[in-house]
Structure formats: structure tokens, C-alpha cells
Amino acid sequence: MPSRIVQRIHFEDFGGTEFERLVFAYHVRAGWTDLAWYGQTGSDGGRDIVGKEPLENGGYRSCVIQCVNRKTLTQKKAEEDMARAIAASANNLEVFKFVIGSAVSATRRDTVKTAAINAGITSLTIWSGVDFEEHLRLIGEDLLRRFCDGEPFPDRPDEIRHFAADFPRLSDNEALAQMAVVFQRPAFQTRFHEESSLPAFQAAIEDTIAALNTGVWRTREGETIRRVPSLHHLRDPGTKAKVRKASELVDKLRRAFVAG
């Protein structure tokens, strides 16, 4: 079977508003809360999106997200956006994030980070188009596919939030019950010495890891069975940590198999 080549997405070829919708939808999917889309109003004050970012310890921190869907991020554009956001936040802005549709050089990253520190921003994140695409493919492949296929996202933030949330009404117990089906496959039930296809066994283990992390449940042949909740849908930090640990253990099994 020939290898499948995934071409990089050129976000800058798409409209700025659609790009902002995609960024908003991604952060909904990633578990951010209190998201507001200021860019939609046309008077964002350097704040296309604001919201609370989930932290590893179970807490949240407020962050401003600026979407830049241009062929390049200039130093002037970056500094102006940060200055406007600081002014709109009453000089109380510490966390800022750029999501850019194009490539960002190492030099530009360094100069923008220096400008951010000088402006009083203590935490700055810069995602290039490649960075954003990698994060989307991890937990929002369906969102990326919809974007690339030209299917319009809803206009209203609440409508975007509804379809991007994916399984929004499930409790953690209900989500775990659906997630458990990914272990109901021969790879976890057949004695290893009776396994008829070792490549298929490895594929099943890798698919299980992907299902726990992305919610995409596939057969050994790579066909999508259906979507299930992923660890990103779990609300309780302790429960999420246990599922993450389970994923790490399955990955440990995969690495042991590959090594020996």
C-alpha cells in the first residue's frame, strides 16, 4: 500500500473571518471556558478571542487570543495588536496568544517575545499555521476537514460552541462508558501467542491510543467506526489524569512491542 502524504494546510488562502471561527471552535474543543469572540463585532481592540485556558492542575487562567491570517506576521502588527489588547484590558494583561495562518521565523518569534516582555506580558504563545494544524489534527480533525471542504461554520459563537463542543451534555461517567468500547477489540482479548497478525496488533494498539486522545475510533484497517468522547471531554481533573495514565500505559505496551 502506498504511503499517504498529508499536505500542509495553507490557512492564509482562506478568509480571515472563517479562520477566526476555526480558532474559536478549536479552543472550545480544547476545553477553554468563558470564550468570547470579539473579532466578530469588528471592534476587537486587539482581542479577537478571550477565554480561560485549562491548566494541568485543574485551574484556569485568562488569555487573549489574536488571530493573524496573513502571509507573514510583521513586528509592527504584533506590537500594535499587543498594545491595543493591553489598553482594552485596562493594562491588566499577562497572557497573550497569537494564532497565525502562515509560517513564523525563529527571529520573529524572539523579537515578538521580547516586545511582549517589555510591554508587561509575562506569558506569550505563538502558533504558526503548522503548529495550529498539528493541534487541530490531534483533537479537531473534523473541524479542520470542515474548514478545508468549504462548509461554512455557524455565524454565532453559541452555535459554534454547540457543534464544536462535541458530546457537550455527557457526564464524566457517561463519557467513560462510551470510551470503554475502544478496549473491546481482539488486541486486548486474544492471547498474544494466538495473535494472527502482529502488524494488525500494533495498528490496534496505536488506534486505541488515538481514540483515547482524539475520540476517533477506527478498525484495524483504518476505517472510522464512529466518534467517542476523548480525555479532553472529561471535566474532573482526577478522572482525566487517570485516563491520561491509561493512555500512557497503552503507549508503553506499544513501545515494548516495537522494541522487542
Side-chain angles (χ1 to χ4, degrees):
M1 180 182 295
S3 60
R4 179 184 172 195
I5 300 175
V6 179
Q7 300 293 339
R8 185 176 77 81
I9 305 300
H10 291 271
F11 294 107
E12 64 271 22
D13 293 338
F14 297 85
T17 301
E18 282 303 313
F19 183 69
E20 288 184 18
R21 288 192 178 104
L22 179 62
V23 174
F24 185 91
Y26 166 81
H27 286 86
V28 170
R29 178 68 57 83
W32 288 49
T33 62
D34 297 341
L35 283 163
W37 181 15
Y38 285 98
Q40 185 193 38
T41 66
S43 56
D44 53 43
R47 305 168 300 162
D48 285 333
I49 300 168
V50 298
K52 292 184 178 180
E53 176 186 13
L55 303 175
E56 289 294 331
N57 62 9
Y60 291 86
R61 66 175 184 176
S62 297
C63 180
V64 169
I65 304 170
Q66 185 68 9
C67 307
V68 183
N69 195 27
R70 299 184 177 186
K71 291 185 177 180
T72 184
L73 173 66
T74 65
Q75 187 70 20
K76 180 180 179 182
K77 165 69 174 171
E79 292 184 8
E80 287 179 347
D81 283 346
M82 290 188 291
R84 291 168 58 209
I86 290 171
S89 304
N91 295 319
N92 186 27
L93 174 61
E94 296 182 350
V95 185
F96 196 93
K97 180 177 185 178
F98 281 108
V99 181
I100 302 158
S102 57
V104 185
S105 69
T107 300
R108 177 67 69 233
R109 289 177 187 269
D110 290 342
T111 55
V112 172
K113 287 183 178 181
T114 298
I117 293 172
N118 292 337
I121 297 173
T122 58
S123 178
L124 175 70
T125 300
I126 301 176
W127 280 2
S128 68
V130 171
D131 297 327
F132 183 36
E133 182 179 343
E134 288 179 351
H135 284 84
L136 274 166
R137 292 194 185 281
L138 179 62
I139 65 170
E141 184 79 35
D142 57 316
L143 302 176
L144 183 61
R145 183 166 56 251
R146 176 175 180 145
F147 178 81
C148 294
D149 287 347
E151 184 178 352
F153 280 55
D155 290 327
R156 293 169 46 186
D158 58 332
E159 294 175 342
I160 297 177
R161 188 178 291 108
H162 178 74
F163 91 85
D166 209 7
F167 313 106
R169 298 182 179 85
L170 293 182
S171 68
D172 280 0
N173 286 338
E174 292 170 330
L176 289 171
Q178 291 196 30
M179 294 171 71
V181 300
V182 303
F183 290 101
Q184 297 173 6
R185 57 195 315 162
F188 297 101
Q189 299 167 355
T190 304
R191 293 179 181 274
F192 187 73
H193 69 274
E194 297 175 351
E195 178 62 58
S196 61
S197 173
L198 294 184
F201 171 81
Q202 180 177 343
I205 297 301
E206 292 172 347
D207 289 341
T208 301
I209 297 169
L212 292 174
N213 285 279
T214 70
V216 180
W217 184 27
R218 292 186 173 93
T219 66
R220 286 186 173 190
E221 291 72 33
E223 297 295 326
T224 299
I225 301 173
R226 62 183 170 90
R227 290 190 60 86
V228 296
S230 71
L231 65 86
H232 301 284
H233 295 99
L234 300 173
R235 298 177 176 85
D236 178 66
T239 301
K240 181 179 292 188
K242 290 179 180 179
V243 174
R244 184 176 286 110
K245 180 63 176 179
S247 176
E248 291 172 354
L249 289 172
V250 177
D251 185 57
K252 184 178 180 180
L253 169 64
R254 179 193 64 81
R255 286 184 278 114
F257 172 75
V258 171

